[in-house]
Amino acid sequence: MSSTSTTRQYDFVVVSNRLPVDRVVDPDGSERWATSPGGLVAALEPVMREADGAWVGWGGQPDLGLEPFETGGIHIVPVDLSEDDIENFYEGFSNDTLWPLYHDVISPPSFHRVWWDSYVEVNQRFADAAAAVTAVGGTVWVHDYQLQLVPRMLRESRPDLSIGYFCHIPFPPYGIFSQLPWRLQVVEGLLGADVIGFQRVADAGNFSRAVRRLTGLATKSPVIEVTAPYQPTRRVIVKAFPISIDAANFEALARTASVQARAREIREGLGNPRTIMLGVDRLDYTKGIAHRLKAFGELLSDGSLDVEDVTLVQVASPSRERVAAYMALRDEIELTVGRINGDLSTMSHQAISYHHHGYPREEMAALYVAADVLLVTALRDGMNLVAKEYVASRFTEDGVLVLSEFAGASDELKKAVRINPHDIDGLKAAILQAIDMPHREQQARMRSLRKRVAEFDVARWSREFLETLAEATRSRNGAAHSHDMDDVLDWTIDRRKAD
Ligand code: GDG
């Protein structure tokens, strides 16, 4: 780690709530920063390196008071959050207002004016930090629902910038979005961007409808004409850019001898069941874990499945543990798992192997390799990367993906066994279909899924977004955007030709 000057400016800046690095305390008490394993870092790392870009975000703990620094080749510009900011902006407005509202109000959103005030204040802090470190004519890419006001705030202070925004979660239909007391401010905040990206075509449509209803601006997909009284008048592009994973990297990991050996060990540890089913989710009410458990429990208790033959491994990684709805969910899930295991496990075979842990990537890959069936039963999910990771790991071309139609991934992964998780009988039938699927059918489906995931990987996602942003900016103000960004785009286009 080395310090860099606070006044340094960059041609390419990414802004996200969390930094792409985690603070790690080693056994000897020393502290260091480790790159988070997330796909976003993997996707943007080459672009960052090429453009010598910077990442603006929060370090994950209150009041760190850090100066900009460099780690793993990435320039880091930390934004400080206090305990109050975490409570009001992050756990409050982001995770207890926007998250449930944007996921079909599965859990009721709370609306509190102090949370909103904090959201405005913290968004301004992120916008100021980004404005301070971005060079004239530079490009800023803002990520996710915690920072929806940043595009407009940046546009006001830095009209010279090229501004992109990507929403990782769904954008709700107007009937739901309109519940938000600050709906107009949010829409106006996003319209500060030149390009607004969503996971699904439906999300982009929902956003455009909200714009029409709230502002009266004209929209004709993919363009929103921002006209007076809004200033500056310009065109905003609103489109779907479905996010993906570093598929080649995942496959390479799955192929390693150690991951293969670990997968065999996992199977043996479970008592060598005929079928291993797997669920991997943050412990979140959007993921439909309770629906999955209900269907599986019923299949065991009505005799359709035998606990000696089939085991469900459920990884529920800890998430948002200070938010009340997540505490209640944990209790509900763990009670259900306990009941099913208590009623239906035998001395030698457990019905559900439940793990409330985060695991290293290698262990995740071993689980994907070991699993004959992956269950994705989300009630609403922007994309669901777990589904794509499973597909990328199945280089043997077998295994079955059961996929909720309410996950963004279902727009692309058409050969999955598609389910409506609310339809418990349908879900049970799909689980049986997956378990009994002939090998040839598994292969035919998996080949098609793998082709899609390999072709539309995360590098392509970031490339397509940044190319669209560069084009939009060019048409707005001639070729006035940064020349260094041109170099990055030349590089991404060369990469595409090489693919
Ligand atoms: C949001 C949107 C959208 C999970 N447990 C462990 C672990 N993971 C990794 C998975 C996967 C990622 O976390 C989860 O991504 P998802 O896409 O499934 O879901 P969200 O966290 O809700 O992400 C979502 C995504 O943003 C991207 O735009 O797809 O819809 O909600 O990569 O593998 N990784 C490790 N240990 C764990 O225990 N190492």
Side-chain angles (χ1 to χ4, degrees):
M1 189 200 306
S2 68
S3 275
T4 54
S5 152
T6 45
T7 52
R8 177 147 182 215
Q9 294 200 317
Y10 304 87
D11 292 304
F12 180 58
V13 172
V14 170
V15 190
S16 66
N17 177 53
R18 276 300 306 272
L19 284 168
V21 288
D22 295 317
R23 197 172 195 165
V24 181
V25 182
D26 285 326
D28 66 359
S30 61
E31 290 182 357
R32 65 191 165 85
W33 291 90
T35 310
S36 344
L40 195 56
V41 194
L44 296 179
E45 211 176 29
V47 188
M48 285 294 223
R49 224 176 291 121
E50 188 71 19
D52 197 24
W55 202 307
V56 175
W58 171 50
Q61 288 158 33
D63 296 318
L64 286 171
L66 296 167
E67 288 299 316
F69 62 92
E70 192 185 320
T71 183
I74 304 178
H75 303 286
I76 300 287
V77 181
V79 173
D80 248 7
L81 295 189
S82 67
E83 279 287 4
D84 276 357
D85 298 331
I86 295 172
E87 198 179 317
N88 296 314
F89 153 77
Y90 180 61
E91 294 172 341
F93 200 77
S94 297
N95 289 340
D96 208 13
T97 304
L98 293 173
W99 181 268
L101 187 77
Y102 282 30
H103 288 88
D104 282 359
V105 297
I106 296 165
S107 168
S110 308
F111 302 113
H112 295 299
R113 285 164 288 180
V114 281
W115 290 1
W116 166 253
D117 292 343
S118 173
Y119 187 77
V120 176
E121 196 190 311
V122 173
N123 270 247
Q124 189 67 59
R125 199 177 308 155
F126 275 83
D128 292 347
V133 297
T134 313
V136 173
T139 297
V140 181
W141 192 0
V142 182
H143 288 265
D144 229 357
Y145 63 103
Q146 300 94 349
L147 303 177
Q148 293 173 108
L149 308 180
V150 169
R152 180 183 183 182
M153 290 167 168
L154 264 181
R155 173 81 48 211
E156 278 167 0
S157 63
R158 293 292 305 276
D160 58 300
L161 299 182
S162 175
I163 303 169
Y165 171 86
F166 183 76
C167 184
H168 290 257
I169 68 173
F171 195 89
Y174 187 69
I176 291 179
F177 181 67
S178 57
Q179 289 180 20
L180 185 68
W182 308 279
R183 58 200 187 183
L184 178 62
Q185 290 94 315
V186 165
V187 157
E188 289 178 342
L190 292 171
L191 283 174
D194 294 295
V195 174
I196 306 174
F198 293 96
Q199 302 275 27
R200 307 179 90 159
V201 173
D203 299 320
N206 287 343
F207 176 70
S208 296
R209 262 188 299 283
V211 168
R212 281 199 301 277
R213 295 289 294 270
L214 294 167
T215 66
L217 292 174
T219 73
K220 187 165 183 292
S221 178
V223 175
I224 295 181
E225 295 288 350
V226 176
T227 47
Y230 292 99
Q231 292 298 336
T233 60
R234 67 219 152 79
R235 309 178 95 191
V236 174
I237 305 290
V238 176
K239 261 184 75 175
F241 297 87
I243 199 169
S244 193
I245 58 164
D246 186 344
N249 201 286
F250 240 94
E251 172 165 347
L253 183 60
R255 282 180 185 274
T256 56
S258 57
V259 165
Q260 291 289 313
R262 177 67 191 134
R264 283 193 294 275
E265 220 174 86
I266 289 172
R267 186 169 280 273
E268 275 161 31
L270 294 169
N272 275 317
R274 193 165 62 89
T275 305
I276 296 176
M277 297 204 293
L278 175 67
V280 174
D281 314 82
R282 277 187 309 97
L283 187 45
D284 195 297
Y285 48 78
T286 59
K287 303 291 183 182
I289 302 171
H291 295 62
R292 187 181 315 167
L293 296 178
K294 187 170 182 56
F296 183 57
E298 283 189 16
L299 284 169
L300 289 176
S301 57
D302 67 19
S304 306
L305 292 179
D306 187 333
V307 75
E308 305 273 325
D309 292 336
V310 185
T311 300
L312 171 61
V313 177
Q314 177 64 54
V315 174
S317 34
S319 184
R320 305 176 189 172
E321 292 183 286
R322 298 194 333 179
V323 178
Y326 288 76
M327 294 178 200
L329 176 76
R330 182 172 177 194
D331 287 347
E332 182 200 337
I333 297 297
E334 295 186 352
L335 184 70
T336 310
V337 169
R339 283 210 174 128
I340 293 175
N341 277 341
D343 289 345
L344 300 161
S345 295
T346 62
M347 285 296 175
S348 56
H349 287 87
Q350 221 181 357
I352 302 167
S353 176
Y354 172 81
H355 308 271
H356 184 249
H357 291 300
Y359 286 107
R361 244 167 65 85
E362 291 70 19
E363 185 73 355
M364 305 292 287
L367 283 165
Y368 293 141
V369 169
D372 305 290
V373 177
L374 181 82
L375 297 178
V376 175
T377 56
L379 306 176
R380 185 54 77 191
D381 211 338
M383 177 54 60
N384 196 285
L385 295 180
V386 168
K388 293 187 172 182
E389 290 167 0
Y390 178 67
V391 167
S393 308
R394 305 301 301 184
F395 61 89
T396 45
E397 296 186 333
D398 57 358
V400 184
L401 171 63
V402 174
L403 179 60
S404 165
E405 62 190 66
F406 301 112
S410 75
D411 282 358
E412 294 175 85
L413 303 182
K414 306 253 192 235
K415 290 288 182 184
V417 174
R418 286 156 63 93
I419 50 116
N420 168 5
H422 299 284
D423 171 10
I424 298 295
D425 284 338
L427 178 53
K428 286 167 70 179
I431 290 175
L432 293 178
Q433 182 195 350
I435 290 174
D436 294 333
M437 188 177 288
H439 198 251
R440 284 177 70 95
E441 186 183 345
Q442 290 187 29
Q443 280 189 325
R445 286 174 183 258
M446 192 49 82
R447 262 191 219 119
S448 146
L449 295 172
R450 288 176 55 72
K451 188 163 178 290
R452 173 76 202 188
V453 172
E455 217 170 294
F456 290 81
D457 67 356
V458 73
R460 180 164 175 163
W461 167 78
S462 61
R463 207 155 64 209
E464 286 184 355
F465 186 94
L466 291 172
E467 280 174 20
T468 307
L469 181 54
E471 266 166 43
T473 308
R474 237 178 252 131
S475 69
R476 175 163 59 82
N477 56 1
H481 72 287
S482 135
H483 292 298
D484 286 8
M485 204 55 212
D486 272 342
D487 294 342
V488 174
L489 290 164
D490 286 348
W491 171 82
T492 60
I493 290 161
D494 288 347
R495 277 280 303 263
R496 189 178 49 187
K497 283 185 192 145
D499 284 348

